[in-house]
Structures are given as C-alpha cells and as structure tokens.
Amino acid sequence: MADAQSQPLLRDIAGEDALTGAPDRGIAQTRHVFSARMSRDIDDVEEVWRILSVGPMESPGQSYNFIRLWIADRGVEHANKAFVVGEVDGQPVALLPLHCHRYFGFSVYTWFPRSQVGAYAPVSDYRKLSELGPEGRASLWSTMIGQLSDADAVYLRTVPEEIAGYGALFSELGKALAVETLYRAEFNSWEECDKLQRSRSRRKHDRQQGDRLDALGKVEFELVTDREQGLAAIDVMFRQRSARFKAQGIRDTFVEDRLIEFYKTAMCPTSGIDVRLHVLRLDGEIVAVRYNVVEGHRMFCLISSMSADPAIQAGSPGKQCLLRVMQTVFDAGIGVFDMGSGFTDEKRHWCNVQIPVRQHYVGCTLRGQIAVSLHQQFQRLRAQAKANETIRRGLRHLRQLGDRFSARATPSE
C-alpha cells in the first residue's frame, strides 16, 4: 500500500527482505506468523475484545460496552461494521473496530464515534505489540488492513503518539499526521495535585471565585451515579450546552445529531458503562455538570456544562465545579483524569500530562490515496486556521450564515 507519492505505508516486509536479503528481518519473520480475521458482528469478537482491553485504556472508544451501545443507538447497518482481529502465531494481539462510511462513492473505514471521545486507539495487548518491534507491527497492521477488501481508505483519528510505558506502538499504522494534543491530570492524591498545579496566586483566585459563588446562595457538590438523578442532571447539562453553543454561534451537535439519548442510555445499569456525573448546585438548582466515563482507574470527562445566567457566571460555577472534582477524584482511587484533546484554560491549569495525538491514514486504492492526500492537506489548513484568530472568526461567521440559511430553507412544522 502506498500514499499519493508512492511512498510505502504498510510494507510487505517479507517481500522486502527477499529483495534486500536482510538476515535480521528474515529471522524475525520466520519467528512469527501473522494472520487476521474480520467479522461484521460485534458479538463474534466480544471475548477477544474483553481479553485485549484488560489493561489501561486510552479512551472509552476502546470499550466493548461503549461501542456496542453506540452501534445500537446509531442503528449502524450490518454491512457497514467491521471488526478486524490481528493475530500473532494464532494469538489475538490487536482489534480494529471500524465503521464504513461512503462519501461521494468512496468507502472509508474509521472509528465508530467521532469527536465524542477525545482519543482512540486499536484495542491491543500493548506488551505483545511492543515485543513485535516496528517491522513486526507493520506486518501485523498490513495483514489486518488487508481484510478490508472493499476499502478505498482507512482513516483513524486522534490516536495517541505514545502509550505510557510502551512508547510509539502505532507509528507503523499507515501515514500519521499530528493534529492535536491530549490533556490528562495524573496524580496520586489531591495533595500532590494541589502542590504541583496550584501556585499561591491560583489558590487565592480560586478562593475569591468561591466566595463570590457562596455569596449567591447555598453551594452543594455531589457525585451522581443514580440513574433517575442522573437523567435529570443530563437534561440540564444539554440545555446548558445548547445555550452556550447558540451564544458562540456553534452547531449543536448533540441536538442536531440526536446524541442525547445515547448519553442517557449509557447511564442505565444495563449498559455496562460506568457513568459518573459531577454536579454543582446553587440553592438546589444545577449550575454546572461534568459527564464522565470510568474505565479501570481512569476517568474520562466527555462533556461539561455550566449555567448561562450572567449573575451566576460571576461566581465561575464551571471552574468551581472542576476545582471540587480535582479535590475529590484522586483520593477516590482514580489515577488518571482525562480531559480530552484540544487546548482550554482549564486543561492548562490542571493537566500535567500532554500527549500528541495523530490522524492515521491508509490509502488502499489509487483514488483512496488521492483522497488521503487531500484530507491531510485539509487538516493542515484547518490547524493553521485554528491557530489564527482572524481566520477562526471568519470561519465561524460563515458557519453562522450557513446555519441561518439552512434554518430558513427548512419548512416549519
């Protein structure tokens, strides 16, 4: 497989060795047998998936329960699902859960959720992947991608550049383009977090904001895991998000893509997803919410919201909610609090770990290679635009005009 410049992406190492006569690679290739199998049914790979995801997870997007619920909620058609298991000497080592989308006649395989999760990665036995070395991993990925016979391209967004303790395990998976940064807070206790992340001036500032909020009424903070209480908090959270999107002129993806029910269903005990809500109340009314999913000792914050009331915003309820989260989460047994990708002030204040995330591309056909090249160029331009305030404002204005035009073109009910 090659990109638009005919540079190899996933190399046929055995064939390459036959040409070069490299003895070290030849030995490595005779030591392992790489194979792969693909199913359209998620139930077929459940056992393998759960075995491979026993260790630390980089994302809820690696969770069997999360993806199973996503598929059911989105109504993904059978023919558009692909679960590719990669094996080394007959033993499963990696799994790619992929959704086939068709754009303008192109078939592109990608992760099931999009930006709903901050990062993604192949579900893998990291130790075995590490032991394979770069050439072994390249052969494994090539064998797995070969199962997608109907693909023009494979596009895997926001994959961590490195896995803690194992290094770069996915560099051989196609052609990578760095686009974002993943932000995490990793501490053993609140005391450690407080000492390392907060200066004296920060503590004073947080205290002043807290005093302003206290002056407005009775402030209460709670962790919600009960379904009924959680559903009420989720309704408030999405109303707050919608108000913020409208004020910023941003498309409300939760409403327009009908995603709210997914997050509500995830709160049900039968979903198998450990959802925990952090809720801040003022005189009993919810003024800030954080929607989190816990996997092992890692907590992933997927959504946050706060009241749009100007009188309440003076007390910074969103920041005060997050402060209380940080004061409690590490002492409750969480070792990693993942805040997702993309820079914000709160991430700058609290996150001591930054991990580059990259888009991975494989062009499987000639037109797929052309599409990959064009999309990579688009991503580069997009990154430049996000770094330029003038361009960013202009793009936002264009989106607002587009939304208004769409609203006028839609007949009222």
Side-chain angles (χ1 to χ4, degrees):
M1 299 180 186
D3 63 11
Q5 286 74 43
S6 299
Q7 295 300 313
L9 296 180
L10 297 175
R11 296 172 293 168
D12 182 347
I13 297 173
E16 186 176 276
D17 288 343
L19 293 175
T20 61
D24 53 338
R25 287 187 190 166
I27 294 172
Q29 288 302 302
T30 58
R31 197 169 62 231
H32 295 298
V33 176
F34 298 92
S35 58
R37 52 190 170 89
M38 191 267 282
S39 174
R40 302 286 182 185
D41 191 339
I42 191 172
D43 293 335
D44 291 345
V45 298
E46 178 178 1
E47 182 179 1
V48 168
W49 195 323
R50 294 196 185 279
I51 291 172
L52 291 176
S53 58
V54 167
M57 299 178 71
E58 304 303 310
S59 160
Q62 292 177 294
S63 163
Y64 173 84
N65 292 330
F66 191 94
I67 298 303
R68 179 187 60 180
L69 180 62
W70 182 272
I71 290 171
D73 180 82
R74 300 286 86 191
V76 181
E77 294 183 6
H78 181 78
N80 292 332
K81 296 178 288 185
F83 305 95
V84 184
V85 178
E87 299 170 331
V88 179
D89 300 328
Q91 296 299 311
V93 173
L95 167 69
L96 288 173
L98 302 174
H99 184 183
C100 182
H101 293 272
R102 289 174 173 80
Y103 305 102
F104 307 105
F106 291 83
S107 59
V108 180
Y109 280 88
T110 186
W111 308 122
F112 283 95
R114 297 186 185 182
S115 58
Q116 287 76 26
V117 182
Y120 302 85
V123 185
S124 312
D125 184 325
Y126 294 145
R127 181 184 61 80
K128 290 181 179 178
L129 268 187
S130 178
E131 290 173 351
L132 285 176
E135 292 161 350
R137 289 192 294 271
S139 186
L140 175 67
W141 301 132
S142 179
T143 303
M144 293 175 70
I145 297 298
Q147 291 291 307
L148 304 171
S149 58
D150 59 337
D152 286 307
V154 178
Y155 169 50
L156 306 178
R157 66 187 307 278
T158 53
V159 176
E161 185 175 316
E162 293 190 351
I163 301 298
Y166 297 96
L169 296 182
F170 308 116
S171 296
E172 300 78 26
L173 180 50
K175 188 173 183 179
L177 176 67
V179 291
E180 282 281 10
T181 301
L182 185 66
Y183 292 85
R184 290 174 175 168
E186 297 187 17
F187 300 101
N188 294 315
S189 65
W190 159 244
E191 286 73 19
E192 181 185 25
C193 175
D194 184 38
K195 179 180 178 182
L196 295 177
Q197 294 301 118
R198 292 211 301 170
S199 63
R200 181 179 299 178
S201 61
R202 272 286 312 284
R203 294 190 186 96
K204 180 181 178 181
H205 182 67
D206 290 341
R207 187 168 59 252
Q208 290 172 339
Q209 287 184 332
D211 290 343
R212 285 197 292 269
L213 191 62
D214 287 336
L216 298 174
K218 182 181 179 182
V219 179
E220 298 172 290
F221 174 75
E222 59 182 321
L223 172 65
V224 176
T225 57
D226 175 76
R227 179 177 181 269
E228 293 305 316
Q229 294 182 41
L231 293 180
I234 290 170
D235 281 334
V236 174
M237 177 183 73
F238 282 119
R239 285 200 299 269
Q240 292 174 346
R241 290 299 303 173
S242 291
R244 187 168 180 82
F245 285 141
K246 184 177 181 180
Q248 294 180 328
I250 297 174
R251 179 180 182 270
D252 189 342
T253 183
F254 298 113
V255 172
E256 297 188 27
D257 293 342
R258 297 174 290 104
L259 288 168
I260 294 176
E261 285 304 314
F262 168 80
Y263 292 99
K264 287 185 174 182
T265 306
M267 193 83 197
C268 298
T270 55
S271 74
I273 303 171
D274 186 356
V275 176
R276 305 184 194 181
L277 304 179
H278 290 114
V279 176
L280 190 71
R281 298 179 185 270
L282 181 65
D283 288 337
E285 297 295 323
I286 296 175
V287 294
V289 184
R290 299 189 77 90
Y291 187 109
N292 312 287
V293 170
V294 174
E295 295 287 346
H297 298 293
R298 297 185 174 189
M299 177 178 282
F300 300 88
C301 183
L302 303 188
I303 311 169
S304 63
S305 73
M306 68 175 183
S307 171
D309 185 344
I312 297 176
Q313 287 182 355
S316 301
K319 292 181 180 179
Q320 285 298 304
C321 182
L322 181 55
L323 172 61
R324 288 162 173 79
V325 171
M326 306 305 284
Q327 289 172 333
T328 57
V329 68
F330 300 110
D331 290 336
I334 298 298
V336 176
F337 184 55
D338 185 301
M339 296 192 193
S341 58
F343 178 79
T344 63
D345 259 357
E346 67 180 27
K347 295 173 185 178
R348 175 173 61 86
H349 287 155
W350 291 111
C351 296
N352 62 330
V353 175
Q354 299 181 18
I355 305 171
V357 291
R358 304 186 294 183
Q359 318 282 44
H360 287 247
Y361 299 85
V362 180
C364 302
T365 63
L366 178 58
R367 64 180 189 167
Q369 294 162 18
I370 295 172
V372 162
S373 180
L374 291 173
H375 195 270
Q376 286 181 319
Q377 184 60 32
F378 165 75
Q379 290 286 357
R380 293 187 185 98
L381 293 173
R382 184 168 177 257
Q384 293 172 8
K386 288 175 69 175
N388 186 299
E389 180 62 28
T390 302
I391 296 176
R392 189 163 63 246
R393 282 199 304 265
L395 291 175
R396 181 176 297 176
H397 181 63
L398 288 174
R399 282 198 301 269
Q400 291 172 335
L401 290 175
D403 291 342
R404 291 171 188 166
F405 180 80
S406 298
R408 290 172 184 169
T410 303
S412 59
E413 297 181 357

